Amino acid sequence: MRRFVLFSLFFLFFISSCKKQENVYEQIKTHKKITDSNYKSFSLEEVYYSLLYHVHFAKDYTKIKNSIAYYENSSLHLNDSLNIYRANNLQIYLNQDFSVENYRYKRLFNAATYFEYENKPYDAYMANYLIAEYYFNLQHFHIAENFAYKAIDNLGTNNDEYVFEKCLTFILLSTIHHNQKNYDEAFNILKNYKILSRLIDKQLISQERINVLKSTYTNNYAIIGNKIGKVNLQQTIADLKLAYKLANLKKEQSKNKQKITALHNLIHFKIEANDLDSLDVYLQQFKNKKDYILSIPVMQINYATIGDYLIKVKKDTLYAKLFHKNLLRENKEKYKNPYLEKRILEQIIQNTDSTSVALKNHYLNVVKSIQKENNLKLNTNQKVIYENQELKRKNIKLKREIIYIIAIILSITIISLLIIYSIIQKINLKRIKLLNSYIEHDTEALEVTLTYKNGLENKLRNSNKQIFMELHDNIVNKLFSTRFLLHKDYIKPNSFQVPKHTVIEVKESLQSICDNYNELNNLFSKDSFYNIISDLIEKQPNKEIRFSYDIDDSINWMETPPRVRFHLYRILQELIQNIHKHSSAKTAIIKLLQDNSLIKLIVTDNGKGFKNTSKNGIGINNIKSRLKEINGYLVIKSVNGTKFIITVKL
């Protein structure tokens, strides 16, 4: 037994340790052909992999709006946490212009913890990546960095798996480090893209998505390389033109963040190089996206580039001041972005008014508020890191406890099954013994009944034979001789005396036969039938059941039709036999009563009760058949035992 339990525990741990992670790419390739017209015929998980392909890898995801709405609504209706969080990830990825106050971002944080706990690394990657972008857009760069590295960890260390996602995350990390002015670190991270990009699965991922990825890499390589002196100004502009061209290849142009980022950087460096070629065209395209640019905090600072253009290219100081004034007012009323305010003040101080003390004090106050906010963000970041590590530690501990609990439950279950099996065997053995005991008692009862029945039948048979012989040998012969003596041919004087004596003898013989028959019939007379019933009850072989009886002395059994007596006797036999076989009773009471023209047989026991169904046994059906013969009926009551009420109308 002990060895069996140890083996079960070992087998459980072995299975849990050998569990292989699902290959998300294989699932996507299998289900990517699900269309917007047939998605309802598939399971939610199959629909998810199809949507993941269209949202994350395909050329165009505008045709799956119905599918993703159905997927999310079905998940919510079923209260399916896994698919609810997956749908939320897809919705954010599909609509990256959601407001930062949107409820979906609150759900996103819960999703990351849920996926990690449920050991869904790819889903956890998506959630952590989206959280990193969320904090990046809010300019919480330290926190964004932590979640980006967590996303990388979720993807594992195998360089052949999830290459596209790793490249995407490494480029985001380089952008985060660039905004933190960690230029060397940002440039080194880009080398990971160079190593991995050649391994991207181009059969699964559309060229359009790869072009956007290349555009982001080229953009970052150009501006970060320029910052650390590895790329000159002219090469930077050339690379940014290529980045802008690659981003422009994307079909959906209305909300292309990478295109606007590349366009801003191209304008900025062309202004720095005083390269006016197509600058006005680029600037006009940039201005056309004002609403989208100013809707994302991290991009708002880029809009101040127009001030550089007015000052350095157009040399229009008055218009530049007006632009700065309006943008400051708009920022104060709507955006409240200290980084944008700092950038505008720097432009004013450096290019238009460097002597204003009030302006410089304003600038210093803004810098202090940014430093204070950064310190607060840093503290928040450390707190988030600590909470995540603590949560991770608790999850690991909880998983171990769950494994131990499962092992204990499995062991207890196995032991319980063995105990139950042993108990069942013992119960079956007792049941067999009890059944054998019942069979023995039934056999004894049947032998007593058959003996009594055979004795009665033999007595009747012998009596009938005696009567027949007496009638044949004595009466018939005497009647024949009398008939002969009275024949007209043989009649003589005084011949009537002999026939007279013969007739008297026949009469006496018949009287004797009748007396004998009455003696036989006394079996069903008052006293004899009473004795038959009492003998039947008193001579029951099962001494564990105590029988008692009450027979009404006023019943005149001679006036009761023999078939009534006969059937009542057989019915009582059947009821007593049922008590032995089925009732598990300790006592039984039998009553025979007369109520006017009704005879009632009442049999009561204190057993387990009678289950009256549409399909009764042979015994009950026989009782009903007998009652039908003698104009009687049966009532069965089953409360605290069983009560049979037989009523016969005379």
Side-chain angles (χ1 to χ4, degrees):
M1 181 67 187
R2 184 179 178 183
R3 290 180 180 177
F4 181 74
V5 172
L6 291 174
F7 174 77
S8 301
L9 293 174
F10 172 78
F11 181 74
L12 179 66
F13 282 115
F14 177 78
I15 292 296
S16 61
S17 62
C18 293
K19 186 178 180 182
K20 186 180 178 182
Q21 294 293 336
E22 64 176 347
N23 189 320
V24 175
Y25 273 27
E26 290 300 321
Q27 293 283 359
I28 292 170
K29 288 175 181 177
T30 302
H31 300 101
K32 69 178 184 178
K33 293 184 180 180
I34 296 175
T35 66
D36 202 44
S37 59
N38 68 350
Y39 58 88
K40 289 187 178 180
S41 60
F42 294 88
S43 69
L44 288 182
E45 182 152 336
E46 290 172 323
V47 173
Y48 166 68
Y49 289 116
S50 169
L51 292 171
L52 187 61
Y53 167 71
H54 288 289
V55 171
H56 203 17
F57 302 126
K59 294 179 182 179
D60 185 9
Y61 48 69
T62 58
K63 296 180 180 180
I64 60 167
K65 291 181 179 179
N66 292 337
S67 306
I68 199 167
Y70 162 80
Y71 173 64
E72 184 168 42
N73 290 334
S74 299
S75 302
L76 290 167
H77 178 70
L78 296 172
N79 200 23
D80 184 342
S81 298
L82 175 63
N83 287 306
I84 289 171
Y85 288 136
R86 281 176 167 177
N88 193 65
N89 281 2
L90 294 177
Q91 289 282 19
I92 293 174
Y93 200 94
L94 188 65
N95 304 280
Q96 294 188 16
D97 58 331
F98 279 136
S99 166
V100 294
E101 287 83 19
N102 194 292
Y103 72 93
R104 291 193 179 277
Y105 286 106
K106 295 180 181 178
R107 187 182 289 169
L108 184 62
F109 288 93
N110 294 332
T113 305
Y114 175 86
F115 289 135
E116 289 179 356
Y117 178 74
E118 292 294 326
N119 199 21
K120 298 289 183 182
Y122 191 86
D123 297 300
Y125 150 75
M126 280 194 69
N128 283 315
Y129 178 84
L130 292 171
I131 292 171
E133 279 201 330
Y134 168 80
Y135 279 119
F136 174 76
N137 290 334
L138 290 176
Q139 301 171 103
H140 295 197
F141 301 120
H142 287 293
I143 303 176
E145 177 187 348
N146 287 328
F147 279 100
Y149 278 116
K150 282 185 69 176
I152 289 290
D153 289 339
N154 292 136
L155 294 173
T157 57
N158 187 348
N159 287 340
D160 293 332
E161 287 187 342
Y162 309 126
V163 177
F164 176 79
E165 292 85 347
K166 289 176 182 176
C167 289
L168 194 66
T169 311
F170 280 128
I171 289 174
L172 175 61
L173 276 167
S174 73
T175 307
I176 292 170
H177 282 293
H178 171 261
N179 281 271
Q180 292 174 300
K181 303 189 186 307
N182 299 329
Y183 301 122
D184 289 325
E185 182 69 20
F187 194 77
N188 288 331
I189 287 174
L190 288 176
K191 294 177 182 178
N192 292 300
Y193 171 87
K194 201 69 176 177
I195 296 170
L196 294 172
S197 60
R198 57 187 176 83
L199 300 174
I200 291 176
D201 187 350
K202 295 182 180 179
Q203 291 183 340
L204 177 64
I205 300 161
S206 69
Q207 188 60 46
E208 183 178 279
R209 296 296 172 92
I210 295 173
N211 287 339
V212 173
L213 192 62
K214 283 182 178 179
S215 170
T216 311
Y217 166 76
T218 306
N219 175 87
N220 286 15
Y221 184 86
I223 61 175
I224 297 169
N226 182 267
K227 288 286 185 182
I228 63 175
K230 291 186 177 292
V231 182
N232 61 43
L233 189 56
Q234 295 304 318
Q235 185 60 46
T236 299
I237 292 173
D239 287 343
L240 289 172
K241 284 182 178 179
L242 175 60
Y244 181 57
K245 181 180 179 181
L246 288 168
N248 244 355
L249 294 175
K250 189 172 181 180
K251 290 182 179 179
E252 191 182 356
Q253 301 294 337
S254 60
K255 294 175 182 177
N256 188 340
K257 183 178 177 182
Q258 174 51 30
K259 174 186 173 183
I260 295 170
T261 300
L263 180 60
H264 161 263
N265 291 331
L266 179 57
I267 293 170
H268 174 76
F269 281 95
K270 283 178 78 69
I271 292 172
E272 290 295 317
N274 200 25
D275 181 355
L276 304 181
D277 181 34
S278 302
L279 182 58
D280 288 338
V281 176
Y282 292 139
L283 194 70
Q284 187 57 48
Q285 292 176 358
F286 187 70
K287 287 180 178 179
N288 291 340
K289 300 296 182 182
K290 176 184 176 182
D291 292 338
Y292 180 66
I293 294 168
L294 293 175
S295 68
I296 302 174
V298 77
M299 294 182 68
Q300 289 168 355
I301 191 173
N302 295 342
Y303 199 71
T305 299
I306 295 174
D308 289 330
Y309 171 78
L310 294 172
I311 294 168
K312 295 179 181 180
V313 177
K314 291 296 185 180
K315 311 295 183 184
D316 191 341
T317 306
L318 291 176
Y319 191 65
K321 283 185 176 181
L322 180 61
F323 172 78
H324 289 144
K325 180 180 177 182
N326 290 335
L327 191 55
L328 280 171
R329 178 180 51 78
E330 197 170 354
N331 180 58
K332 184 177 180 180
E333 292 175 355
K334 293 183 180 180
Y335 316 122
K336 297 178 177 58
N337 187 340
Y339 293 91
L340 177 58
E341 188 176 4
K342 175 176 173 288
R343 181 73 180 91
I344 297 169
L345 292 174
E346 286 173 346
Q347 286 180 339
I348 295 172
I349 293 170
Q350 291 171 6
N351 300 296
T352 60
D353 191 352
S354 60
T355 59
S356 173
V357 176
L359 192 62
K360 288 181 179 180
N361 288 334
H362 183 188
Y363 175 75
L364 291 173
N365 289 333
V366 172
V367 171
K368 287 179 181 178
S369 68
I370 291 174
Q371 289 176 342
K372 183 178 179 180
E373 184 180 357
N374 284 336
N375 290 333
L376 181 61
K377 290 176 184 177
L378 184 60
N379 292 334
T380 304
N381 178 39
Q382 295 300 324
K383 183 179 179 182
V384 168
I385 293 173
Y386 172 77
E387 289 176 350
N388 285 336
Q389 291 297 328
E390 185 68 13
L391 185 60
K392 190 173 182 180
R393 185 186 64 79
K394 288 181 179 178
N395 284 339
I396 292 172
K397 183 180 177 182
L398 184 60
K399 285 183 180 179
R400 287 177 182 169
E401 290 175 352
I402 289 172
I403 291 174
Y404 290 145
I405 290 170
I406 291 173
I408 292 170
I409 290 172
L410 181 62
S411 302
I412 293 173
T413 302
I414 293 170
I415 294 170
S416 300
L417 288 174
L418 291 174
I419 293 172
I420 291 170
Y421 177 76
S422 176
I423 293 172
I424 290 173
Q425 289 295 93
K426 290 180 180 179
I427 291 173
N428 287 337
L429 184 60
K430 287 183 179 179
R431 188 177 293 161
I432 290 170
K433 289 181 179 179
L434 184 62
L435 183 61
N436 289 336
S437 174
Y438 283 157
I439 292 172
E440 290 176 1
H441 292 158
D442 288 347
T443 303
E444 292 176 5
L446 182 62
E447 287 176 355
V448 170
T449 303
L450 288 175
T451 301
Y452 187 84
K453 177 184 176 184
N454 290 335
L456 183 64
E457 288 178 350
N458 288 334
K459 190 172 183 180
L460 288 172
R461 192 182 301 111
N462 292 333
S463 298
N464 289 337
K465 185 177 179 181
Q466 252 184 343
I467 293 170
F468 176 78
M469 290 174 63
E470 184 68 21
L471 287 172
H472 182 273
D473 296 340
N474 186 16
I475 304 300
V476 172
N477 287 333
K478 288 181 178 180
L479 289 176
F480 180 79
S481 60
T482 302
R483 178 175 173 274
F484 180 79
L485 291 172
L486 293 175
H487 195 275
K488 65 180 181 176
D489 295 330
Y490 302 101
I491 194 168
K492 296 179 180 180
N494 302 322
S495 61
F496 284 101
Q497 195 65 30
V498 173
K500 178 180 177 182
H501 288 294
T502 303
V503 170
I504 291 172
E505 288 179 4
V506 168
K507 177 183 175 184
E508 291 176 352
S509 296
L510 287 174
Q511 184 66 46
S512 175
I513 290 171
C514 289
D515 290 340
N516 289 333
Y517 181 78
N518 286 335
E519 183 180 355
L520 176 66
N521 197 46
N522 281 339
L523 288 171
F524 298 99
S525 67
K526 173 181 175 182
D527 293 335
S528 295
F529 191 68
Y530 178 94
N531 291 335
I532 290 172
I533 297 298
S534 61
D535 285 347
L536 175 64
I537 297 169
E538 291 172 358
K539 293 181 179 179
Q540 290 304 309
N542 187 353
K543 301 303 180 182
E544 293 181 1
I545 304 176
R546 185 169 60 84
F547 286 89
S548 60
Y549 60 91
D550 180 15
I551 303 175
D552 191 348
D553 292 334
S554 64
I555 301 174
N556 189 346
W557 293 112
M558 285 297 295
E559 294 181 359
T560 305
R563 61 193 184 93
V564 171
R565 298 195 296 270
F566 176 74
H567 285 305
L568 280 177
Y569 178 80
R570 292 293 187 231
I571 289 170
L572 181 57
Q573 277 185 314
E574 183 63 40
L575 291 177
I576 291 174
Q577 189 173 355
N578 282 346
I579 291 172
H580 285 302
K581 291 172 67 176
H582 305 299
S583 71
S584 299
K586 296 297 181 183
T587 60
I589 301 172
I590 300 164
K591 293 183 179 181
L592 262 172
L593 309 172
Q594 184 168 7
D595 183 9
N596 296 327
S597 62
L598 300 177
I599 289 181
K600 289 186 177 182
L601 171 60
I602 302 170
V603 180
T604 308
D605 66 66
N606 66 345
K608 62 184 180 182
F610 177 81
K611 188 175 182 181
N612 195 2
T613 63
S614 59
K615 295 182 179 180
N616 291 312
I618 296 173
I620 297 297
N621 289 329
N622 285 342
I623 290 173
K624 290 180 178 179
S625 298
R626 290 183 183 279
L627 288 172
K628 189 175 181 181
E629 293 289 329
I630 57 175
N631 194 23
Y633 58 89
L634 168 66
V635 176
I636 303 174
K637 296 181 179 180
S638 185
V639 179
N640 298 326
T642 307
K643 187 174 186 178
F644 293 88
I645 302 174
I646 309 294
T647 304
V648 179
K649 187 175 182 181
L650 298 177

